[in-house]
Amino acid sequence: MQSEQRRKRKRFLKTPFSISSTSVFYYWIRCCALFLFIALFVYFNGFPYRSDLCLFKPVLTLLRQSKTSQLVARSFKINDLSSSKKVVPLRVEDRVLFPDHVLLLVSKRSRVSWLNLHGGLDCIYSKKLSNLSTQVKGIRNVKFLPVLSVDEYNELQSIVRCPLPPSNYSALVDLRKHRTAKKNESLLIEDQRVHSWENLVYGAALDGKTAVVFAKGLNLRPDRVSNPAQFSCQFTWIESTKKDNRYARTTNAITAAQEIVRCSLPFRLRKDPSRAHGIRVSIGIASHHGHRDVYRERVQSKAAIRYPPLPSVAKIIFPKFEEQGRSQYELCVCTMLWNQAPSLREWIMYHAWLGVERWFIYDNNSDDNIEKVIQELQEENYNVSRHAWPWIKSQEAGFSHCILKARNICKWVAFMDVDEFFYFPFPTTRKTSGLGYPGHHSLRSLVTKFSSSGRIGEIRTTCHSFGPSGLISPPSQGVTVGYTCRLQSPERHKSIVQPDAVDDTLLNVVHHFHLKSGYRYLNLPQNMATINHYKYQVWEVFRSKFFRRVATYVTDWKENQNEGSKDRAPGLGTEAIEPPKWRLQFCEVWDTGLRDFVVANLADPISGLLPWEKSYV
């Protein structure tokens, strides 16, 4: 028996090893599955170690922003051409449709400014398709156009401006690094939105234990305070430790005026305002029906009522550490401009001589290389900061935003345009009203004398409007020397305010602010101080006013409304056509006071050059 078992064991060992047909089948199934997984991974993500062979492979991204929206978008991965060869996704967080362009707010981690300097970016437009089934079948209709501009916006986002979409193309724009377009490259669309500028919450800022929120489309009256009971603020964020948990808190509005609503912060943010950094904010509005009952209910109950929020692209940005100092400067200046780069050097250098220490330049979509001018001024030790303000027709809101930005570092802030120059017309050899001699740092000395006053919160100065003064081309030495003829009667005024004296509504009408109870404004006599407003310059410069105005409640030049307003040129009409004898208009009084003052005090004694001329020699 034992010998028989030994013989069977020998036969088994000598028999070749075999695999059953079932085992072979499962083996090939596993191999095919692995191969398919690798192929799909490479197609959608590219080769991990050869990124140069798989640039711009599409990654389908779904964003849940609207229950009703059926639009669809694809984001593209682009190559960060740094030494690390990392792939950086271009993440477009929001899109806003303006009358002349589409604004994209892009995550700062995409480094779009760096990418635009290294080859540029393209805007991607998808064809409008009749239905979703057509898209699924793979209809490939995509158009590429170069971006208009790229800009820094805040610590979290950059700005990319794209042209309006071509006819029959969607405004749902995406981005990619500039390259030759592939034929039949497709752009899928799914569940995203393009916000309309006419109805949008576009900005938010912290102010103590409150949030100040800026919105277009509230339709509140200019220069009027509104009932805040019809508004609330909604704060939405995702906890970093619990990424799947989205939080939303609603608080009541405290004040409302024009485009601005102020709300208290939720309790957890009041305890630590730094946690509000990056939180999205929107405004809820009560329905028109039964709003009086809503007001009554809110008076009876302190609990916040949840109103449907407006579309929002606004995020709170917690201020940098260096901006939290207290009263570092006696006198600052804030302005909002569009394409005023040629005038900036003269305006800043002149007012620096008068004692201005800090400038806040709110740039409203300029495309005249103003960044280079500001950089040159910074290199010459002028304390100038540029703030991209992409929101058109919102000057009043921008000035309110500037008050919040300057509140902790400036005792006084002047609000002036780049074509407005402060001037002391009284003689330089005589004291007047105890204000001292006009000259070096005289404007700072003026506001310092009112700093200790417990009642003066705003200083108002009359403006004189100057005309072309017979010129047909821009004066080479600057506006202060070139334009010397003006209208006899003054127009408007401009203000220098103490930020702490401004009313909590932040209400302003560009020329002045509403003040808190207990504060008042002071009108400076015209023989003591005035502002030369070089409003009507040579036609080459003046006609740009037709194309864009930054104030919210001021009619654009091309619209046939309020044609008799002082904000317009009398008798000019609504077309950018040079009237006969334009160079001789608006000339009633020859006034060479500021020209003589500038030449006597600022010109180089040897060369005769003015400070703003030296950089061009």
Side-chain angles (χ1 to χ4, degrees), residues 143-260:
K143 200 172 195 67
F144 303 90
L145 294 174
V147 301
L148 297 175
S149 63
V150 172
D151 208 345
E152 296 295 320
Y153 182 49
N154 56 42
E155 295 179 26
L156 300 175
Q157 297 167 311
S158 297
I159 288 173
V160 177
R161 299 177 181 90
C162 288
L164 289 175
S167 179
N168 295 324
Y169 280 82
S170 170
L172 188 68
V173 188
D174 253 299
L175 294 172
R176 66 161 193 192
K177 193 174 185 302
H178 180 69
R179 64 187 177 95
T180 303
K182 286 184 178 180
K183 292 183 178 180
N184 299 326
E185 186 162 15
S186 64
L187 179 68
L188 297 178
I189 311 175
E190 179 138 29
D191 206 17
Q192 287 193 13
R193 295 175 58 188
V194 179
H195 300 292
S196 169
W197 169 237
E198 300 301 322
N199 187 40
L200 182 68
V201 178
Y202 60 89
L206 288 178
D207 186 24
K209 295 184 179 181
T210 66
V212 178
V213 188
F214 304 87
K216 200 74 173 177
L218 296 182
N219 296 322
L220 302 183
R221 294 177 299 171
D223 199 20
R224 294 290 186 274
V225 175
S226 301
N227 191 332
Q230 59 185 315
F231 302 106
S232 65
C233 292
Q234 185 180 91
F235 302 81
T236 306
W237 70 94
I238 299 175
E239 287 287 351
S240 58
T241 56
K242 302 177 181 179
K243 294 184 178 180
D244 295 332
N245 292 338
R246 183 180 294 272
Y247 291 84
R249 297 290 184 269
T250 302
T251 64
N252 291 333
I254 301 172
T255 64
Q258 295 183 170
E259 292 189 345
I260 302 172

